[in-house]
C-alpha cells in the first residue's frame, strides 16, 4: 500500500548525492462511483452542459448552391385527342379537339422558334428518331441498372419515377419494333426562377411494340411476360435546359391520356382491409365502401 | 435518444440511430436471378430482427424455441396468451415482419408464412448499482438481447416422426455392413 516514504539516510543512498523525494500516495484501484441517473436532465440543462464543453468557433455560413437541371413538372401538358388511333374528325368531339389542336399548334410554333434560337440544330423532322433512340437506351439502362448512363439520358424527375421501388427487382424490357414513325406533337418553353432561365419541353408521340417482365426479389414473375408483346401508344416528353450550352435532350416524363385502356392487373391477390368494427357492431350494418387502392412502397 | 446536430441553415441532418446494419438486416437485400418457367416457385424468405430488447437472452430463448416451426397465425396466438414479458415484444416483431412481407417482398397471402428460424442473441450489458440495507450494495447487470426471425412463405413443414427402435436397429445393421476389411483379397 502506498505509504509516505521519507528519505532515509543510508550508505547506499546518501542524501547529498540524490535529492529528497517524497512519494505521494496515489489510489490506483478504480472504485465504482455512484452515478446519478435519477436526475432528469431537461433539454435546457443538457444544452447548457454541452455548450459549456463545446469549443466556440465563429459561425460559418453554410451556403450550398444548388443547380436546377430540370423542371419539376410538365408545363401545359399536351391533351392527346381521343381515339388517336382512329379518326373521328366528323364528330362533335373531334371538332372540339381540332380547335384545341389549332390553338396548341400556335403556341407550339412560338416555342419552337425560341428553341431554335438557342439550339440551331433542332428540327422537328430529325428529332423524333433521336428521341426514340434516347427512349430505347434509357429503358435498356434501366433494365441493366446502369445508373450513370440513365442519369445522362433521363432528367432527375423522371429518374425518381422510373427507379422507385425497383431496387430489389429484376426488370426485363425489350423494344420489338415501332408501328408508326414517331412525330413531334407539342413544343413548349418555360422559365424557372428567372425569366432567362429557359427549359424547352417537346412531346413526341410514339406507337411501338414492347415486352416487359418484372421479377421480384426471388425471381418470380410479378408483372407482364417476356414473350408477350404489347402495342403501346405513348406521349413522351423530352426536356432540355436551353440556356445551358452543354445541355442535352433528356426524357422528362410521359403523358397518360384519360382515355387510355387500363393496364393489366398484377399476378397477385391484394387484400383491401375492411372497416374497423366496434365489438357491438356487425359487418353488414356498416355501409360498405371499398377504399381506393393506394400505391404501396 | 437520437442525437442530431443542427447546423445554422439546418440543411444537413445527421443521426446515429440507423447507421449500423448487422448481418441479419443485410440478408433482406439479396436478389435472386429470374426463374425459368419450368422451375418450381421459390418460396419468399423474410428476415427481421429487433435489437437491444430489455430482456434476458436465456429467458427469451424459451419463447423463440416455442414458436420455431409454427405457422405465423399459431405463433401469434400462442404469444398473445403467454405470460412472459418477451412475448409481447416478439409478437410486435412478427407483426412487423408480416407487414413488411406483404408490402415489400411480394408475398401474396399474409397467413401463408411460417417461422423457419427464430434465434436470440446477446445484446450490450450495462452495470448498475443495486442498493441493499446497511450501506451495502451490489452491482446489478442489465442484460439486453436481440431477437431474430426468418419467415418463409408456405405452410409449415410437417414435424419429423420420432425415431423408432426399428429404425435405430436398421441403422446399426447398416453401420456393421459398411465396414471394410483392409488388405483383403
Amino acid at each position: 500500500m502506498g505509504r509516505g516514504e521519507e528519505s532515509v539516510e543510508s550508505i547506499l543512498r546518501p542524501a547529498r548525492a540524490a535529492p529528497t523525494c517524497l512519494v505521494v500516495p496515489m489510489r490506483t484501484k478504480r472504485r465504482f462511483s455512484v452515478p446519478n441517473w435519477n436526475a432528469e436532465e431537461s433539454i435546457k440543462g443538457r444544452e447548457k452542459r454541452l455548450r459549456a464543453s463545446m469549443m466556440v468557433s465563429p459561425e460559418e455560413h453554410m451556403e450550398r448552391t444548388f443547380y436546377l437541371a430540370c423542371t419539376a413538372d410538365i408545363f401545359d401538358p399536351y391533351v392527346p385527342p381521343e381515339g388517336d388511333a382512329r379518326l373521328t374528325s366528323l364528330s362533335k368531339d373531334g371538332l372540339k379537339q381540332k380547335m384545341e389542336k389549332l390553338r396548341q399548334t400556335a403556341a407550339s410554333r412560338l416555342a419552337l422558334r425560341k428553341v431554335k434560337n438557342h439550339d440551331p440544330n433542332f428540327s422537328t423532322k430529325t428529332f423524333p428518331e433521336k428521341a426514340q433512340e434516347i427512349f430505347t437506351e434509357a429503358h435498356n439502362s434501366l433494365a441493366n441498372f446502369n445508373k450513370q448512363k440513365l442519369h445522362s439520358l433521363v432528367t432527375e424527375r423522371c429518374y425518381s419515377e422510373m427507379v422507385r421501388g425497383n431496387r430489389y427487382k429484376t426488370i426485363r424490357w425489350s423494344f420489338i419494333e415501332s408501328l408508326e414513325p414517331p412525330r413531334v406533337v407539342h413544343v413548349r418553353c418555360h422559365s424557372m426562377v428567372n425569366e432567362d432561365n429557359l427549359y424547352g419541353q417537346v412531346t413526341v408521340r410514339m406507337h411501338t411494340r414492347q415486352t416487359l417482365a418484372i421479377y421480384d426479389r426471388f425471381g418470380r414473375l410479378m408483372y407482364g411476360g417476356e414473350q408477350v408483346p404489347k402495342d403501346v401508344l405513348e406521349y413522351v416528353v423530352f426536356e432540355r435546359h436551353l440556356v445551358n450550352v452543354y445541355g442535352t435532350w433528356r426524357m422528362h416524363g410521359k403523358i397518360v391520356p384519360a382515355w387510355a385502356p387500363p393496364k393489366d392487373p398484377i399476378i397477385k391477390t391484394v387484400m383491401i382491409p375492411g372497416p374497423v368494427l366496434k365489438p357491438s357492431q356487425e359487418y353488414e350494418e356498416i355501409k360498405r365502401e371499398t377504399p381506393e387502392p393506394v400505391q404501396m412502397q | 435518444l437520437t442525437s442530431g446536430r443542427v447546423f445554422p441553415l439546418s440543411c444537413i441532418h445527421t443521426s446515429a440511430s440507423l447507421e449500423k446494419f448487422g448481418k441479419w438486416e443485410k440478408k433482406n437485400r439479396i436478389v435472386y436471378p429470374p426463374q425459368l418457367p419450368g422451375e418450381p416457385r421459390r418460396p419468399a424468405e423474410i428476415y427481421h430482427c429487433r435489437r437491444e430488447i430489455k430482456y434476458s437472452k436465456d429467458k427469451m430463448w424459451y419463447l423463440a424455441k416455442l414458436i420455431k416451426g409454427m405457422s405465423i397465425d399459431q405463433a401469434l396466438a400462442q404469444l398473445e396468451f403467454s405470460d412472459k414479458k418477451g412475448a409481447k415484444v416478439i409478437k410486435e416483431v412478427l407483426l412487423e415482419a408480416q407487414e413488411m412481407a406483404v408490402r415489400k417482398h411480394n408475398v401474396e397471402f399474409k397467413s401463408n408464412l411460417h417461422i423457419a428460424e427464430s434465434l436470440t442473441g446477446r445484446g450490450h450489458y450495462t452495470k448498475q448499482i443495486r442498493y441493499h440495507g446497511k450501506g451495502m450494495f451490489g452491482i446489478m447487470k442489465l442484460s439486453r438481447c436481440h431477437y431474430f426471425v426468418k419467415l418463409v412463405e408456405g405452410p409449415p413443414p410437417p414435424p419429423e416422426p420420432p425415431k423408432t427402435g426399428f429404425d435405430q436397429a436398421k441403422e446399426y445393421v447398416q453401420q456393421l455392413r459398411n465396414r471394410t476389411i483392409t488388405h483383403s483379397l
Side-chain angles (χ1 to χ4, degrees):
Chain A
M1 299 296 277
R3 287 256 175 89
E5 250 187 341
E6 282 110 20
S7 60
V8 172
E9 282 219 58
S10 65
I11 309 161
L12 296 168
R13 287 199 286 158
R16 288 157 286 163
T20 52
C21 52
L22 185 72
V23 177
V24 178
M26 290 285 289
R27 277 209 191 138
T28 46
K29 180 179 174 186
R30 197 173 145 204
R31 297 284 174 91
F32 196 76
S33 59
V34 182
N36 190 15
W37 272 305
N38 288 332
E40 288 282 342
E41 200 174 18
S42 66
I43 305 168
K44 280 191 190 167
R46 183 168 11 132
E47 268 186 42
K48 200 171 160 188
R49 183 172 48 90
L50 289 173
R51 240 183 294 134
S53 58
M54 204 171 76
M55 284 200 288
V56 178
S57 60
E59 293 249 330
E60 292 168 5
H61 280 283
M62 305 267 291
E63 277 175 16
R64 235 168 38 159
T65 52
F66 55 89
Y67 172 66
L68 291 168
C70 72
T71 48
D73 212 353
I74 300 169
F75 296 106
D76 202 4
Y78 172 62
V79 179
E82 176 122 13
D84 203 355
R86 305 161 264 151
L87 291 166
T88 49
S89 52
L90 296 170
S91 66
K92 196 168 131 192
D93 285 331
L95 275 171
K96 238 200 294 183
Q97 249 104 52
K98 269 213 162 168
M99 292 300 293
E100 277 211 50
K101 207 166 133 190
L102 279 172
R103 226 187 304 137
Q104 280 176 352
T105 42
S108 291
R109 290 233 184 94
L110 272 170
L112 190 63
R113 233 182 298 152
K114 266 196 214 169
V115 169
K116 283 200 178 162
N117 278 341
H118 291 276
D119 182 15
N121 296 336
F122 184 79
S123 139
T124 39
K125 306 227 168 74
T126 56
F127 183 68
E129 283 127 37
K130 260 201 312 184
Q132 194 153 62
E133 276 171 26
I134 296 177
F135 179 80
T136 325
E137 289 267 342
H139 281 81
N140 279 332
S141 47
L142 175 68
N144 300 336
F145 293 133
N146 191 352
K147 280 195 240 180
Q148 273 94 27
K149 205 162 178 202
L150 196 56
H151 268 298
S152 67
L153 292 166
V154 147
T155 58
E156 284 76 31
R157 176 205 176 234
C158 192
Y159 178 83
S160 65
E161 276 183 16
M162 279 174 110
V163 170
R164 195 161 142 245
N166 288 343
R167 203 189 331 185
Y168 300 118
K169 295 194 177 78
T170 329
I171 303 177
R172 291 240 173 108
W173 182 86
S174 73
F175 183 85
I176 299 180
E177 57 170 356
S178 170
L179 296 168
E180 284 174 18
R183 55 191 172 92
V184 173
V185 212
H186 192 75
V187 182
R188 282 287 179 274
C189 249
H190 196 83
S191 50
M192 294 258 288
V193 185
N194 291 339
E195 271 302 312
D196 297 326
N197 198 16
L198 279 176
Y199 294 87
Q201 286 176 352
V202 177
T203 314
V204 177
R205 171 191 181 275
M206 294 191 206
H207 197 37
T208 51
R209 189 168 281 162
Q210 301 162 11
T211 56
L212 175 69
I214 305 182
Y215 297 92
D216 68 350
R217 229 188 90 208
F218 305 100
R220 313 183 295 200
L221 188 63
M222 243 173 108
Y223 186 78
E226 257 189 272
Q227 310 301 330
V228 180
K230 291 248 158 90
D231 297 339
V232 176
L233 176 61
E234 282 172 335
Y235 299 90
V236 189
V237 179
F238 289 84
E239 198 198 45
R240 182 185 153 156
H241 190 195
L242 294 168
V243 184
N244 182 10
V245 177
Y246 305 108
T248 44
W249 286 101
R250 299 188 293 175
M251 207 164 100
H252 189 59
K254 274 190 204 173
I255 295 181
V256 179
W259 44 263
K263 292 197 224 178
D264 287 343
I266 47 172
I267 316 166
K268 185 177 139 165
T269 44
V270 176
M271 186 186 91
I272 304 172
V276 178
L277 296 170
K278 281 189 222 155
S280 52
Q281 283 174 326
E282 292 278 342
Y283 179 59
E284 287 90 23
E285 285 171 5
I286 304 173
K287 228 191 344 177
R288 267 175 258 185
E289 298 167 17
T290 47
E292 284 294 308
V294 179
Q295 189 188 12
M296 289 296 183
Q297 271 182 25
Chain B
L1 266 180
T2 50
S3 57
R5 276 181 269 141
V6 175
F7 283 103
L9 284 179
S10 54
C11 48
I12 307 165
H13 160 69
T14 57
S15 70
S17 49
L18 293 171
E19 273 166 15
K20 188 151 187 241
F21 275 116
K23 286 201 275 192
W24 201 260
E25 287 94 334
K26 286 185 192 161
K27 287 192 185 198
N28 262 340
R29 294 190 189 177
I30 40 171
V31 181
Y32 292 93
Q35 281 184 307
L36 305 163
E39 281 177 33
R41 195 172 153 97
R42 194 183 275 125
E45 292 175 350
I46 299 102
Y47 295 86
H48 193 46
C49 66
R50 190 180 280 207
R51 306 272 181 183
E52 308 283 335
I53 307 167
K54 178 63 198 75
Y55 201 47
S56 156
K57 70 165 168 45
D58 303 311
K59 294 177 198 166
M60 191 71 118
W61 180 84
Y62 288 108
L63 289 163
K65 182 82 176 134
L66 172 73
I67 330 177
K68 195 167 163 183
M70 286 188 186
S71 69
I72 197 161
D73 290 332
Q74 198 189 358
L76 286 168
Q78 292 291 336
L79 290 170
E80 189 168 330
F81 297 104
S82 160
D83 292 328
K84 292 184 174 279
K85 171 171 147 181
K88 203 165 151 188
V89 174
I90 298 188
K91 192 165 160 217
E92 281 172 24
V93 173
L94 285 183
L95 287 169
E96 268 176 25
Q98 203 182 37
E99 264 293 313
M100 248 169 54
V102 171
R103 279 199 210 188
K104 296 194 193 170
H105 299 282
N106 193 30
V107 163
E108 209 164 337
F109 304 109
K110 67 175 192 185
S111 301
N112 201 19
L113 297 160
H114 70 269
I115 294 160
E117 289 170 21
S118 80
L119 320 160
T120 51
R122 174 192 187 277
H124 289 293
Y125 291 180
T126 48
K127 293 194 182 151
Q128 237 183 6
I129 296 208
R130 193 202 183 280
Y131 300 94
H132 292 275
K134 292 194 194 170
M136 306 288 260
F137 64 91
I139 302 180
M140 189 161 74
K141 185 174 79 167
L142 277 181
S143 58
R144 295 187 178 90
C145 64
H146 307 307
Y147 177 67
F148 309 97
V149 75
K150 171 176 161 184
L151 296 173
V152 173
E153 203 178 2
E160 276 184 31
K163 212 160 184 194
T164 56
F166 186 66
D167 283 328
Q168 285 178 332
K170 268 205 299 193
E171 266 194 32
Y172 176 64
V173 169
Q174 192 57 39
Q175 271 179 9
L176 293 174
R177 287 189 183 145
N178 287 346
R179 300 175 295 183
T180 49
I181 304 169
T182 52
H183 308 304
S184 67
L185 291 162

